[in-house]
Each structure stands twice: as structure tokens, then as C-alpha cells.
């Protein structure tokens, strides 16, 4: 097909080429124009004869392979088209319809909205692979980083739209034949351009069936996976009855998941939805004219919350960021795996060194707990790969794995999928999956998966052609595919080819291979530390993860009006509840705990839902600590706080550490009630240095952001510049933090609904020392506050503009003689000041207390505030029902009827309720506390284990316990509504005791 540019108005036109039309494709055109803003397009699907091609310009002399979608970048709308691709091969040549795959080599982005970028090619820099992301050239095309990623040779698509590359063979065989060739049916976990193609897919769905069929035959839309596809065809000996050789095809398809996508040190562990980093489904396909065999494995990062910074002074230390709150997400991950693939056996290849041992221990602990619900569906084998190689070399790894009973038993029980080539009848089905991991899930993982693939393929050959097991050609191609697979996946995640591939290719460890691995290790260190951050941003932009991003829509007045009406009627499908958040800040002067924290943490008779505590100078600010901060002091304080929360008088709830973060002496900790961990999501932490112009962490900030139900919070603790006269330095520190503190996916402090600073701001009081002391002792706070430097900065709009603070009705918290209530009597005689402050911004925040505690363990007094914010909880089923009601109303609007008035009059029936969702709870009554189930606790003996039981074929349709909802958090309104009215009412059992109910999504 060809791409043309028209003017007046500016129009991009994709049309079928004469050669395509000779091959049977319809004579059609897809026309794009700009809508009312940079995120809306007008699209038409027209007969080619209805498009005026007299006054148009052909944009590229190359033929266009298809369209990936539309994206809005820098307030402009761009169309992404594939301009160069090469066929990899046909994965099932014996099929009547070819299942050929192409690899994308070049993608171009053309602006729909303006001509500004017409002369600047988005792929002009693709041929310079060493181009630095962090130093863009002048006038660089805004989509150049996206183009570089997609044009890297790791994206693939099906050459014919009649088959789905994103789904493994078992999935495709299980589909209804009527929808199996539908381009809109795919495995959304692996389609990387789903975000930018969504508007076109929705447009396609609105076409009538005949037009939709023409649209699909034109192949205007390309759906692409990232990973690796390799194909080899070979002649193998035939049985003696015939004599002519059998042509067999060996293929390897690796599909990289996009839901937690990113680079090595930027994306580790898993998210709250159970999606893990570097998750790859790898399928080995072996086909002849009689059978096609499929064997599927998975790899993925250790599924707990953990991070690993790249550039560190003493190694690459691993931090498990939410050690006490990973279990719900961990279980979601394995529930998704068992629902999709059946029983799962994890192979953990981590070693016994400190860093890897920490992860292995956490993995094993979480898995033992998860087995209480999943039972025999979930199991694990720990295999120290590096230790085995040191003992017996790489050759010994295969021998040892094949001797391990847990591995061989599962190889036998899982089996493989095999179907008849001519009839497509399923002969046998794979009944489980191996999930393999190491630290990066690259080199060691690929090595072991190669072994498992060969072992299973040998099992198949023993059944059909025993003599083929001894075919050198077959295993040579098998090794080559796995070596190429390892290199491809490693380049995506770590920036270089895989280690150990010389052995995978040749079966030997050579000196050249050792030198190659050393070179790759050095290259990885450089790329991961200096280039991956900008690459991560480009990946997030491509996937629609950036906080400020808006998805492109196609002009559709019906659905646009429904969306606008839904936004206005938020209170109708949501409700609010109050919670209590305790916020405290304390400069510790490097001191360890020495007294009870009860007066600080429980100044009022209430059990807060959340404690947010900020500390400054948690370690002495020495040169050694600034270079490499010791986390041990932070751990001591975390333990002391948990002990205080656990041993308090009349304890009503248990608390866990949700997240902590440290920047030298500044530390931030968030503790929550244990029953709330399942409804607090998207927890992230970050830091920002401000000392020595941003190079030193002796001053700076640590931030933690989270989402509590459907309300977002950002907490920042900071230590600003010291010195009575250094007001401007403090103002600059604030501005640096406010604008420079960044979380993942482009989120900043201003991205949140509620923001709370708890800091040693170091702002002083501009009065004489004696006057301040006299006024403080006489509680003359108004006079002191009038001379407060922070108040003056806020009044002038220089710092903390838009923030509020409670009334200062307590004496200045700085500076005291250690262990006393006496202000500084040392030689310096520092002027007392309110250095320790809590400021906030957010409509939901209601401040109910602001004071200090009279502790004596530091030269500062701890300060605290108690907030009672309103937390919004959206009912997705009710929202879906209201959306359907509004949509039906629009579709049945009579001529002359005012649409806005009609939409405003539509309400849900008073007796509407979701069969899945109980009525909201109140302070007096909770839905989970019933006479049959006191406090919502279900005895473990009555656990209904059939919810986790799977048939041998996980794709059978007679499973009575499968949810009608998609496992994706982005289920459509129609899916949610259908589920609400079709799902029978039933009680969902729990597997362990919880003080509070599990979340309902």
C-alpha cells in the first residue's frame, strides 16, 4: 500500500497498491484528518475511487506494510506506519493458510496535524545504533525515540491477518472457528501497539460486517509483538516405506509481555496487578505434514516488590521494597498463570550470594503461603546455576536437571500440545508450565529453557519418529534458535546479547566465548546506567504509561457524549469514606531509639489507618555516610516503630511496613493497617539530592506515592539547606524538589490529588535570640509566627505556593539540649525556630490535629499532624451499567430531542445492585461481618479449593468457576456490565484469616 498527503485540509491517505489489488485485496483507502484537538482524529474507510488523488503527494517511495496506530506527542497527532519489514519464515507451512511472520526494520511517524515535521524523518537516526538518547540532535523528530525502539529488529507481525501471532497454538485451536481469523481477537498481554492501535480497532468494530471484512483483507492495521521469532525448515529421514524425506519446520516464538515493560535496572519485580518484569512466553513449534507440536514455557522476574539500582559504590544491592505487602500481588501473579496455563512449576536459578539469597528467601516464603490456596497447582525447584557450573561445568547442568525428580515428573505430567495438521483436531494438550527465573531472566534462564525445550521435543520424537532424535541437523537448528532467542531478549532488556550463547550454539565453552561474555558485561553496565533511563521513557510513551498522556480517539459523537456525561456523574457510581492518616517528622541528630514513641505516635485516642513518618539525620552526616549511606539505622527505627505499634495499649489493628526510602540521612516510612494492603496500590518511591548543587545527598528529599482505593497521595520528607541567613538556598532546594522529584512513568509531585510535606525545612525566625526565647516561653506564638521565614516565603509566593499549614500552637521544635526541655545552651546558642513543619495540598485533606510531642531523644522535638481525608471508591460495575444506560439512551434519541437534557435525566434504577458487590459499609455495619462469618473469617476447613482446580485442558469451556471478566484491569464497560447481570450470586471464600475483606475489583 502507499501513503499520500493531501492538503486543505491536511489529510493522510493509506491506499491499496495495484499489486495488492491483483492479489485479491479490495480497492480501498483509509483517510486520516485532525480532529478538534491533538488527541482526536477523523477517520474514513472509503472506496479508492471516492478519494481524490490528483492533488496529493506521495510521502514515501517505499511501499507501506501497514499502520501501527496513532499517538499524540508534544501536542501533535502522529500516524505510525511500517515502511520496511522482512519475512522471517512460515511457522506452519503445511497449513492451507500460511502462518508467515515478518520482522519490522523501519517505522515512520507522520504528523496528521501539521507540516512542521514533513522534512525531518523520524527514522533518520535509526542507522546509527550508538546514538545517545540523552543528547538529542537539534530539531530531532519528537517520535525519534519511539521509532528507534520499534525499528530495533525485535518487533514482529503476522504477514496474513487471518492468523494471530500473539497467541500460542493451544489458544488458537481452542477458539470458535467463526472468530479464530478475526484480527480483533488476540492475546492482549503481548500486543505491544494495542495502546496506539486501540482507536483504529474500535473504529473497525463499528463498521458493518461486509466493510469490516474488506478492512481486514486490506491489512491496514498491523498488530505487533516484541521478542523473537526464528524459523528453520529441514529434510529429515522418512520411513522406509516411502523413501522421500520429510520436510519439517522448527520454529521458536518468544512473546515479551508489555504490562510491566522496561529496561534492566528501571523495571524489576512485579506490580500490584501481578504483572512481572521481563515476562516472556516462549513457544517451541515443530511441524510436519502430519502433526504440529507446541511446547510453551514462561520466564519472569522474581514476583515480589524489589529494586536494584545500577550504579552503586559497593555492588548492585537488591532492596525488597515492600516485604510485608507483596503477598496479594504475588498471588495474583500465580493465579493468572494457573488460570492461563494450568499447574505451574517454578525453577529458581538464583545463587546463594547475599543479594540473590535475599530474593530466593522471599520467593520461597511467599510461595509457601500461596500454596495454601493453590495447593499442588504451584510448586518450586531451587537450582543454584552458578554453583553447578563451578562444580561440573555447563555440561553438568543438563545432567543434573534431568536427574531431579521434581523436574522430570513435571516434564512428564505437563506434556505438550499436538494437533493433526490436516484436520486441526487436538490430539494432546499441554497441561502445565515451567516458569523459570534468574536475576535478570536472561542468560541462565535461556540456558535452562533450551534444555527443557529439547527434553520435551525428544519426548515427542520418541512417540512419532525415534530415529529423528539422532538428527544432527535438527539439534543444530534447535541450538541456533535458542542462542538467537537469548541474544534478542537480552538486547531488549539489558542492551547487549546474552552471555553463554557460545555454549548454546556449539555445545562448547571456548576462550572466545569467555572474552565475548566479559565484553558484554562491561557494555551492559554502561548502557544500563547511562542510556536506559531515556529508553524507559520512550517505552512508557509507546505503551501509554506516561502520566500526562492521553490516548488518541477517533471522532465519535455518540461515545464522546457518553464519556463526558459519565465524568460529570462521578458521584453516582462512587462513594467516599473517611480514613485517618498520622503524619510525623523528626530530626534525629543521628541518634538511635532511646525512649517510648507512644506520646508521638498516639497523641489522640484513635488507630490511624496509615502512619507516614519522615526522619532527618537518621545517620550522622559524615563524608562516609554521604558516599554510601548505611541502611542499618533505618532498619532499627523501622523495628522500633513496628514494636511500638504492636505493643500499644488496647491494640485494635496490626500494622505492616508498606514502603520506606532513604537518601543518606533523610528517610521516609509508610506503615498501614495490614487489612489495607490489598487496596493500596501503585506504591513507588524516589529521591532527589539538593546538596552541592544536586550532587550530594546530605540535603534533599525522599518521596513515596500511592493510590488508596481511587485516591492518590504523595508524601515528601526533606532536609533543606541549614543556616539562619540561607533563606534563598532553602527556597531553591524547595523548587528543585518540587520540580525535580520524579516517579515512574512521568509522574511528578503535581500529578497527585493530595500532597503532604513532612520536613526539616530549616526556616528560622527573624528575631533576636533572647526575644524568641522569651516569646516561646510565654507562648506568644503570633509574634513569633509573623517573623517566621517560611510564612514570609509562602506569603510572597516564593516557596510552597498553594500549600497550607495548620496553626502553629506549639513552641518551636528546634533546638534543644539533648535529653532536656531546655533550648540550646551551647556556645553557639542557636535561635529557637519552627524548623520541623508539615504542609499539605489537596481538597480531600481535613486537618484535625497539628502539634509536637515532648520527646527528648534528639535536639529537635518531633512534630505530628492528623488528617482525616475523604477516600473515593469507584464502583466499576455500577459505572459500566450507567455507561450502557447512557449509550442506549443516545442510540434511541428522537429527532429534535435535546441530547444533554436526555442524558442528564437518565438514572440507574433505585434497586440496581451488582450481584458481585455488596452494599457499601459504614462505621456501624460492615458487609463482611455476619453471624455466619464473624469478622469475615472463613474457617480454613471450609475452604472451597475447587476455585483453584483446573481441568487438564485449561481452555475447556465447561469451567464453572471462571470469572466472565477479563483478567486485565482495563476490562471494557460492556464486559463489566455483562458480568454484573450474568454472574450468579455467590460468596467468595477466603484462604487465610484477614481482619478486613479482600478487595473487590
Amino acid at each position: 500500500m502507499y501513503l499520500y498527503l493531501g492538503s486543505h485540509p491536511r489529510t493522510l491517505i493509506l491506499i491499496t497498491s495495484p499489486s495488492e489489488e491483483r492479489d485479491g485485496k479490495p480497492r480501498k483507502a483509509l483517510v486520516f484528518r485532525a480532529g478538534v484537538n491533538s488527541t482526536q482524529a477523523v477517520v474514513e474507510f472509503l472506496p479508492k475511487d471516492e478519494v481524490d488523488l490528483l492533488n496529493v503527494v506521495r510521502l514515501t517511495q517505499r511501499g507501506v506494510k501497514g499502520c501501527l496506530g496513532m499517538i499524540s506527542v508534544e501536542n501533535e497527532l502522529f500516524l505510525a506506519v511500517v515502511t520496511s519489514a522482512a519475512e522471517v519464515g512460515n511457522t506452519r507451512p503445511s497449513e492451507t493458510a500460511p502462518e508467515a511472520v515478518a520482522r519490522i526494520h523501519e517505522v515512520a511517524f507522520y504528523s496528521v496535524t501539521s507540516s512542521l515535521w514533513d522534512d525531518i524523518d523520524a527514522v533518520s537516526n535509526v542507522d546509527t545504533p550508538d546514538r545517545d538518547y540523552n543528547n538529542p540532535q537539534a530539531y530531532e523528530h519528537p517520535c525519534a525515540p519511539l521509532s528507534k525502539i520499534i525499528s530495533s529488529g525485535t518487533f514482529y507481525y503476522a504477514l496474513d491477518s487471518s492468523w494471530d501471532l500473539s497467541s500460542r497454538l493451544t489458544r488458537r485451536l481452542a477458539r470458535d472457528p467463526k472468530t479464530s481469523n478475526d484480527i480483533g481477537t488476540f492475546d492482549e498481554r503481548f500486543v505491544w501497539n494495542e495502546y496506539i492501535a486501540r482507536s483504529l480497532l474500535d473504529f473497525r468494530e463499528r463498521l458493518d460486517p461486509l466493510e469490516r471484512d474488506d478492512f481486514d483483507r486490506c491489512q491496514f492495521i498491523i498488530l505487533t509483538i516484541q521478542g523473537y521469532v526464528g524459523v528453520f525448515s529441514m529434510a529429515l529421514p522418512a520411513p522406509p516405506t516411502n523413501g522421500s524425506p520429510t520436510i519439517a519446520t522448527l520454529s521458536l516464538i518468544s512473546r515479551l509481555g508489555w504490562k510491566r515493560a522496561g529496561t534492566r535496572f528501571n523495571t524489576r519485580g512485579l506490580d500490584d496487578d501481578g504483572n512481572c518484569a521481563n515476562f516472556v512466553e516462549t513457544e517451541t513449534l515443530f511441524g510436519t505434514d502430519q502433526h504440529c507440536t507446541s511446547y510453551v514455557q514462561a520466564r519472569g522476574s522474581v514476583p515480589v516488590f524489589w529494586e536494584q539500582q545500577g550504579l552503586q559504590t559497593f555492588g548492585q544491592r537488591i532492596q525488597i521494597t515492600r516485604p510485608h505487602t507483596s503477598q496479594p500481588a504475588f498471588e495474583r501473579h500465580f493465579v493468572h498463570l494457573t488460570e492461563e496455563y494450568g499447574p505451574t512449576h517454578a525453577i529458581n536459578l538464583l545463587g546463594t550470594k547475599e543479594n540473590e539469597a535475599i530474593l530466593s528467601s522471599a520467593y520461597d516464603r511467599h510461595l509457601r503461603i500461596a500454596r495454601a490456596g493453590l495447593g499442588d497447582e504451584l510448586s518450586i525447584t531451587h537450582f543454584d546455576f552458578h554453583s553447578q557450573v563451578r562444580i561440573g561445568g555447563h555440561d553438568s547442568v543438563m545432567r543434573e536437571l534431568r536427574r531431579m525428580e521434581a523436574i522430570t515428573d513435571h516434564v512428564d505430567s505437563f506434556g505438550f500440545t499436538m494437533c493433526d495438521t490436516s484436520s486441526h483436531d487436538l490430539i494432546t494438550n499441554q497441561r502445565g508450565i515451567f516458569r523459570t527465573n534468574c536475576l535478570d531472566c536472561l542468560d541462565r534462564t535461556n540456558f535452562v529453557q533450551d534444555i527443557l525445550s529439547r527434553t520435551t521435543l525428544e519426548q515427542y520424537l520418541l512417540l512419532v519418529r525415534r530415529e529423528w532424535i539422532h538428527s544432527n541437523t535438527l539439534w543444530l537448528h534447535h541450538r541456533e534458535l535458542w542462542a538467537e532467542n537469548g541474544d534478542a531478549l537480552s538486547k531488549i532488556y539489558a542492551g547487549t546479547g546474552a552471555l553463554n550463547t557460545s555454549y548454546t550454539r556449539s555445545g562448547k565453552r571456548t576462550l572466545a566465548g569467555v572474552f565475548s561474555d566479559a565484553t558484554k558485561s562491561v557494555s551492559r553496565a554502561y548502557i544500563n546506567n547511562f542510556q536506559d533511563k531515556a529508553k524507559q521513557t520512550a517505552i512508557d510513551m509507546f505503551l501509554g504509561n506516561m502520566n500526562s498522556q492521553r490516548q488518541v480517539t477517533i471522532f465519535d459523537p455518540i461515545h464522546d457524549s457518553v464519556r463526558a456525561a459519565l465524568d460529570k456523574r462521578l458521584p453516582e457510581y462512587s462513594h467516599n469514606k473517611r480514613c485517618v492518616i498520622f503524619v510525623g517528622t523528626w530530626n534525629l541528630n543521628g541518634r538511635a531509639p532511646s525512649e517510648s514513641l507512644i506520646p508521638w505516635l498516639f497523641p489522640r485516642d484513635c488507630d490511624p489507618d496509615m502512619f507516614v513518618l519522615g526522619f532527618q539525620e537518621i545517620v550522622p552526616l559524615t563524608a562516609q555516610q554521604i558516599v554510601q549511606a548505611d541502611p542499618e539505622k533505618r532498619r532499627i527505627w523501622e523495628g522500633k516503630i513496628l514494636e511500638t505499634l504492636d505493643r500499644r495499649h488496647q491494640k485494635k489493628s496490626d500494622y505492616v511496613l508498606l514502603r520506606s526510602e532513604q537518601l543518606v540521612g533523610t528517610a521516609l516510612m509508610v506503615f498501614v493497617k495490614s487489612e489495607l494492603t490489598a487496596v493500596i496500590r501503585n506504591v513507588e518511591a524516589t529521591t532527589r539530592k539538593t546538596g552541592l548543587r544536586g550532587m550530594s545527598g546530605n540535603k534533599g528529599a525522599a518521596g513515596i506515592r500511592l493510590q488508596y482505593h481511587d485516591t492518590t497521595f504523595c508524601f515528601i520528607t526533606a532536609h533543606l539547606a541549614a543556616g539562619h541567613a540561607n533563606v534563598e538556598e532553602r527556597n531553591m532546594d524547595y523548587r528543585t524538589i518540587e520540580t525535580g522529584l520524579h516517579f515512574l512513568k512521568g509522574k511528578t509531585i503535581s500529578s497527585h490529588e493530595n500532597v503532604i510535606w513532612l520536613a526539616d525545612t530549616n526556616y528560622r525566625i527573624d528575631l533576636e535570640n533572647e526575644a524568641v526565647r522569651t516569646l516561646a516561653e510565654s507562648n506568644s506564638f503570633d509574634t513569633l509566627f509573623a517573623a517566621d521565614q517560611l510564612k514570609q516565603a509562602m506569603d510572597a509566593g516564593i516557596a510552597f505556593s498553594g500549600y497550607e499549614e495548620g496553626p502553629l500552637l506549639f513552641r518551636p521544635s528546634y533546638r534543644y539540649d539533648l535529653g532536656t526541655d531546655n533550648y540550646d545552651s551551647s556556645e553557639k546558642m542557636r535561635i529557637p525556630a519552627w524548623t520541623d513543619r508539615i504542609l499539605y495540598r489537596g481538597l480531600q485533606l481535613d486537618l484535625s490535629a497539628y502539634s509536637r510531642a515532648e520527646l527528648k531523644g534528639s535536639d529537635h522535638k518531633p512534630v505530628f499532624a492528623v488528617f482525616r481525608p475523604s477516600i473515593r471508591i469507584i464502583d466499576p460495575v455500577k459505572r459500566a451499567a450507567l455507561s450502557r444506560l447512557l449509550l442506549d439512551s443516545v442510540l434511541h434519541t428522537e429527532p429534535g430531542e435535546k441530547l444533554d437534557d436526555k442524558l442528564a435525566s437518565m438514572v440507574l434504577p433505585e434497586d440496581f445492585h451488582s450481584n458481585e458487590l455488596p452494599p457499601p459499609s459504614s462505621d456501624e455495619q460492615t458487609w463482611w461481618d455476619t453471624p455466619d462469618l464473624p469478622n469475615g473469617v472463613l474457617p480454613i476447613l471450609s475452604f472451597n479449593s475447587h476455585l483453584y482446580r483446573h481441568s487438564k485442558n485449561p481452555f475447556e469451556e465447561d469451567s464453572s468457576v471462571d470469572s466472565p471478566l477479563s483478567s486485565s484491569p482495563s476490562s471494557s464497560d460492556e464486559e463489566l456490565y455483562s458480568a454484573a447481570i450474568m454472574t450468579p450470586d455467590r460468596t467468595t471464600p477466603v484462604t487465610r484469616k484477614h481482619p478486613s475483606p479482600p478487595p473487590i475489583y
Side-chain angles (χ1 to χ4, degrees), residues 191-246:
V191 174
W192 274 65
N193 63 319
E194 197 268 348
Y195 172 77
I196 66 173
R198 173 45 54 195
S199 58
L200 286 173
L201 291 171
D202 291 342
F203 171 81
R204 170 191 172 274
E205 285 298 317
R206 294 194 289 269
L207 298 174
D208 66 54
L210 291 177
E211 282 188 309
R212 191 183 310 143
D213 181 62
D214 284 348
F215 188 90
D216 291 347
R217 289 167 57 203
C218 291
Q219 287 186 267
F220 283 124
I221 300 178
I222 285 176
L223 298 180
T224 180
I225 68 166
Q226 187 177 24
Y228 171 74
V229 179
V231 181
F232 279 116
S233 292
M234 68 204 83
L236 296 176
T241 55
N242 187 321
S244 61
T246 297

Side-chain angles (χ1 to χ4, degrees), residues 869-911:
S870 178
I871 304 300
R872 182 175 60 256
I873 305 173
I874 293 176
D875 183 336
V877 177
K878 188 175 287 188
R879 185 185 188 279
L882 181 59
S883 175
R884 172 61 63 186
L885 182 68
L886 296 174
L887 182 59
D888 290 343
S889 175
V890 173
L891 294 176
H892 294 89
T893 300
E894 299 294 333
E897 194 173 5
K898 291 186 176 180
L899 183 58
D900 290 343
D901 294 341
K902 185 173 184 180
L903 289 176
S905 66
M906 291 291 106
V907 294
L908 287 172
E910 292 185 3
D911 59 347

Side-chain angles (χ1 to χ4, degrees), residues 23 111 139 178 287 528 841 980:
D23 291 338
S111 176
Y139 306 112
K178 296 179 181 178
N528 299 159
R841 184 186 71 218

